[in-house]
Amino acid sequence: MINPALFKKAAAVDTTAHRGWRIAPARPNWSVASELNATFIASVEFGDACVEYPIVFVNAGNDPQGNRQIAPVAVFGLRDKENLYLEHGGTWRASYLPAMLQAYPFGIARVDDTRVVVVIDEAWSGWSQSEGTALFNDEGVPSEHLTAVRDQLEKIDAEVQRTRLFGDALVKADLLTEMRFDATLPDGKTLTVDGFLAVDEKKFAALSDEKVLELHKNGALGLIHAHQISLRHMRRLVQWRQEREAAAPSS
């Protein structure tokens, strides 16, 4: 899952094209994510992510059989291309970093049902031709570091597939609704955030005991509760937006 707001020049890792590429010892700051207003998170991350980010859902197209798919995302901003978790100087405001960001400048793209490829952002400023950890050895064989990265990315991809099962459970139970969040800023302007999906509290409360037990047994119930808890962080984003606007120089 390669997000163009983060990967400015995505390319599959290639033995010939990237033979001499190295990762510089010091990772540059997170300014590269300045336009990333959300990122996918896997269900296994909900426990850590829900205490730091609002977790909502987005439509993710249809599977080959035409069934609707949804994906959970951690929200970073209240408008397009806004990242309120990014502080001045490129530091990140949360202690937990979603797995997709932890892996950057590497990512993984699925070619088909059985094949994946490792992708890098060639535009990342941390690449070097002279120092750091090499992607390939002199014979063009992937280095231990690149092999470890691929293993980690494949684990992330496996979690992506498991997370789809959670999305399927929400769709089948018809629990999702269009989310709308309204807030009034100090200057009196109204801020509206929409375009996301959330669990409908009325539908959730109306579930039969049998269905609740089913969601509990397949692990979905705990994830729903984590999602509901996380929504309180929307107010934090409003506060950060207010602080950013107050600090901006007046025109």
Side-chain angles (χ1 to χ4, degrees), residues 203-214:
K203 290 182 178 180
F204 182 56
L207 289 175
S208 66
D209 291 347
E210 181 182 4
K211 188 63 179 178
V212 171
L213 180 59
E214 177 188 333

Side-chain angles (χ1 to χ4, degrees), residues 52-53 92-97:
E52 302 270 16
Y53 310 97
W92 200 263
R93 300 181 82 160
S95 58
Y96 178 73
L97 202 62

Side-chain angles (χ1 to χ4, degrees), residues 107-165:
I108 194 164
R110 182 160 286 278
V111 178
D112 51 39
D113 290 342
T114 60
R115 293 182 299 159
V116 295
V117 295
V118 175
V119 174
I120 61 171
D121 184 4
E122 293 184 333
W124 182 54
S125 61
W127 297 117
S128 173
Q129 297 292 319
S130 59
E131 59 179 347
T133 306
L135 296 184
F136 297 92
N137 64 21
D138 293 340
E139 288 73 41
V141 177
S143 66
E144 290 185 7
H145 179 77
L146 182 56
T147 299
V149 166
R150 182 182 179 88
D151 290 344
Q152 183 60 33
L153 288 170
E154 288 180 345
K155 290 178 181 177
I156 293 175
D157 184 67
E159 293 298 338
V160 171
Q161 308 311 314
R162 293 191 188 95
T163 303
R164 286 178 179 164
L165 297 178

Side-chain angles (χ1 to χ4, degrees), residues 8-242:
K8 303 300 190 296
K9 190 178 179 182
V13 174
D14 181 79
T15 303
T16 301
H18 305 121
R19 175 75 64 90
W21 288 43
R22 295 174 174 269
I23 302 173
R27 175 188 285 273
N29 64 46
W30 281 106
S31 297
V32 66
S34 62
E35 296 184 351
L36 187 69
N37 82 326
T39 192
F40 170 87
I41 61 168
S43 56
V44 71
E45 300 181 83
F46 273 41
D48 292 314
C50 75
V51 299
E52 302 270 16
Y53 310 97
I55 300 173
V56 297
F57 303 91
V58 296
N59 287 308
N62 298 321
D63 64 18
Q65 290 72 44
N67 299 312
R68 179 189 182 194
Q69 291 188 307
I70 63 160
V73 296
V75 180
F76 302 149
L78 298 175
R79 60 187 176 189
D80 188 39
K81 297 183 179 181
E82 175 183 72
N83 188 341
L84 295 168
Y85 281 84
L86 188 67
E87 293 187 291
H88 181 71
T91 57
W92 200 263
R93 300 181 82 160
S95 58
Y96 178 73
L97 202 62
M100 290 295 187
L101 282 180
Q102 292 181 40
Y104 184 83
F106 297 92
I108 194 164
R110 182 160 286 278
V111 178
D112 51 39
D113 290 342
T114 60
R115 293 182 299 159
V116 295
V117 295
V118 175
V119 174
I120 61 171
D121 184 4
E122 293 184 333
W124 182 54
S125 61
W127 297 117
S128 173
Q129 297 292 319
S130 59
E131 59 179 347
T133 306
L135 296 184
F136 297 92
N137 64 21
D138 293 340
E139 288 73 41
V141 177
S143 66
E144 290 185 7
H145 179 77
L146 182 56
T147 299
V149 166
R150 182 182 179 88
D151 290 344
Q152 183 60 33
L153 288 170
E154 288 180 345
K155 290 178 181 177
I156 293 175
D157 184 67
E159 293 298 338
V160 171
Q161 308 311 314
R162 293 191 188 95
T163 303
R164 286 178 179 164
L165 297 178
F166 170 52
D168 291 344
L170 294 181
V171 171
K172 290 177 182 177
D174 190 28
L175 287 177
L176 295 173
T177 187
E178 293 286 338
M179 172 184 161
R180 181 184 176 93
F181 177 81
D182 295 306
T184 301
L185 301 179
D187 60 4
K189 294 180 180 178
T190 299
L191 176 67
T192 298
V193 180
D194 52 22
F196 295 122
L197 301 169
V199 170
D200 188 301
E201 292 187 5
K202 291 183 179 180
K203 290 182 178 180
F204 182 56
L207 289 175
S208 66
D209 291 347
E210 181 182 4
K211 188 63 179 178
V212 171
L213 180 59
E214 177 188 333
L215 292 174
H216 171 68
K217 287 185 174 181
N218 65 22
L221 190 60
L223 298 175
I224 291 172
H225 288 317
H227 152 68
Q228 292 174 320
I229 291 170
S230 78
L231 294 180
R232 68 176 186 247
H233 298 309
M234 293 300 292
R235 292 290 174 188
R236 175 196 285 179
L237 293 185
V238 172
Q239 179 185 342
W240 287 352
R241 162 72 79 78
Q242 294 170 349

